[in-house]
Amino acid sequence: VMYLDCLLPYKGKGFYKAALSEPYSCVIGACRSLYRTDKNSHNHFMGIQEDGRMAIIGGCGPMGLAALDYAISGEFRPRQLVVTDIDKGRLERASRLFAKKAEERGISLICMNTAEIENPSQVLKNLTDNEGFSDILVMVASAQVLEFSEKLLAFNGCLNFFAGPTDTEFSATLNYYDVHYAEKHIIGTTGGNAADMAEALDLMEKDLVNPEALITHIGGLDAVIDATLHLPELSGGKKLIYTSISLPLIALDDLSQKANESSFYAGLATLVDKYDGVWNEEAEQFLLTHGKAI
């Protein structure tokens, strides 16, 4: 008998999926914490507004992609999802990985480069027929971005400041007139709980989410120290570490360049290319079978 749910069962395929249940639990917790109110009953209705409009600002990093994935896969789904970023490559990758999936689920997904648009605030507002977004996740710890995002909220909408600032005095201007009269809700969440992680694992077991989209590097246990010390300089998303394997940290995009070094790298490159450049169960099994054991 498990009294405190300290161990969560995982029956899906792929160790890497279970490893990513923690970051997914964070965005699940963030989305589950979004809310709106009912003026008559004063009840709070939790979660993404179903069939509403949602924006993920600065959303093409690994956590933004997890939030995108959950928004089109979870219990409550918007009818329109706008993801913004200022990195063209990351936006193209997000669209490539999730556009078809969103379309299949009846969700209009728009990936927008706000750096290339004049007056992005008005352009985003126009996408909502000037009503604004019912839910917004802000994935960047920037006062300018927060102030920009708050102006995009719809009546009775909810903004979750997801990005964690390091400055204890971090602040931004907030329109309290709108907080009062437009009933805007501003929240922040950190991490997820056991129920959020259990939901993440359940979605992974059912193949409803694609956590492999977050992974841009793989490595063995001996790559951990160097990767940790130089994490701020390393581009890309999540660095996936296999603790039973000896392997330097390597970007998935660089595998094809290393293919001529050994049959091991050639095999990995072939299997990653087979799945459009993302990590996958076949590549993982190949790594665990043919990688140098520690």
Side-chain angles (χ1 to χ4, degrees), residues 27-136:
V27 298
I28 290 172
C31 291
R32 288 285 186 183
S33 297
L34 294 165
Y35 74 97
R36 55 224 80 254
T37 56
D38 181 270
K39 209 170 190 65
N40 296 317
S41 68
H42 302 298
N43 287 334
H44 287 57
F45 299 95
M46 308 302 296
I48 296 170
Q49 182 171 321
E50 194 164 16
D51 203 36
R53 294 184 171 102
M54 183 176 186
I56 304 175
I57 307 298
C60 290
M63 298 307 292
L65 293 181
L68 187 172
D69 197 8
Y70 180 70
I72 62 178
S73 306
E75 181 180 4
F76 304 114
R77 303 173 185 175
R79 72 176 183 276
Q80 181 188 60
L81 178 59
V82 179
V83 181
T84 75
D85 207 286
I86 57 173
D87 186 298
K88 182 179 179 181
R90 298 207 306 184
L91 281 158
E92 289 175 349
R93 184 173 185 268
S95 180
R96 174 170 55 85
L97 292 175
F98 292 105
K100 183 179 179 182
K101 179 178 173 182
E103 183 181 3
E104 289 172 349
R105 295 176 183 177
I107 298 168
S108 170
L109 173 63
I110 300 170
C111 295
M112 179 181 293
N113 190 336
T114 50
E116 296 180 347
I117 299 172
E118 188 175 343
N119 197 357
S121 180
Q122 190 56 54
V123 172
L124 284 164
K125 225 26 181 331
N126 290 344
L127 291 174
T128 69
D129 298 323
N130 283 317
E131 292 180 3
F133 293 92
S134 45
D135 295 295
I136 298 178

Side-chain angles (χ1 to χ4, degrees), residues 185-262:
H185 312 296
I186 311 295
I187 65 171
T189 56
T190 301
N193 58 29
D196 298 326
M197 190 173 289
E199 183 178 353
L201 292 169
D202 181 62
L203 289 169
M204 290 170 184
E205 289 175 2
K206 294 175 179 175
D207 286 328
L208 289 174
V209 291
N210 301 90
E212 56 271 12
L214 279 60
I215 301 166
T216 57
H217 295 67
I218 57 167
L221 184 62
D222 45 355
V224 170
I225 294 175
D226 221 33
T228 303
L229 292 174
H230 296 94
L231 200 56
E233 302 105 71
L234 291 172
S235 61
K238 295 295 184 184
K239 283 67 183 173
L240 181 66
I241 299 298
Y242 287 90
T243 55
S244 61
I245 299 295
S246 172
L247 181 71
L249 192 72
I250 182 169
L252 298 182
D253 288 345
D254 294 339
L255 280 172
S256 58
Q257 299 172 22
K258 296 180 72 69
N260 60 354
E261 292 184 16
S262 68

